[in-house]
Amino acid sequence: MIDVFLGQIWPYVLGALAILAAWLSARRSGKLAAHAEDAVHRAQKKEKTDKEVRNVRNEVASLDDDTVDRELDRWVRNR
């Protein structure tokens, strides 16, 4: 009696497990894609910040000491 009952529901149990596995797989791939997109965004932001830092360093390096002092004084007053 139980063998007949299990034989009848076994395909449904396997189908449910397959649906669950597909859902978990899709969820995981969605999370991985979101993490990859976030990593790309962070890398682009870091690249932009690094470029700005290089520009400021080059600009300061090209100035003489008196000009740097005046610019820093003006910057501190404006803050």
Side-chain angles (χ1 to χ4, degrees):
M1 177 77 172
I2 291 178
D3 292 334
V4 173
F5 179 69
L6 287 178
Q8 290 176 348
I9 67 164
W10 189 247
Y12 297 108
V13 171
L14 288 178
L17 288 176
I19 290 172
L20 179 64
W23 180 75
L24 290 174
S25 175
R27 184 171 178 226
R28 180 169 184 225
S29 67
K31 283 184 178 182
L32 291 175
H35 286 294
E37 184 177 318
D38 188 43
V40 168
H41 178 70
R42 282 191 316 245
Q44 289 172 343
K45 189 174 181 180
K46 183 181 181 321
E47 181 181 345
K48 181 180 176 185
T49 303
D50 290 346
K51 183 178 179 181
E52 185 177 339
V53 166
R54 279 193 306 273
N55 289 340
V56 170
R57 284 183 181 171
N58 290 339
E59 183 181 339
V60 170
S62 68
L63 300 175
D64 61 7
D65 290 341
D66 293 334
T67 307
V68 170
D69 287 340
R70 281 194 305 267
E71 292 294 325
L72 285 175
D73 287 342
R74 188 177 73 200
W75 181 76
V76 168
R77 279 194 306 267
N78 290 338
R79 289 268 170 192

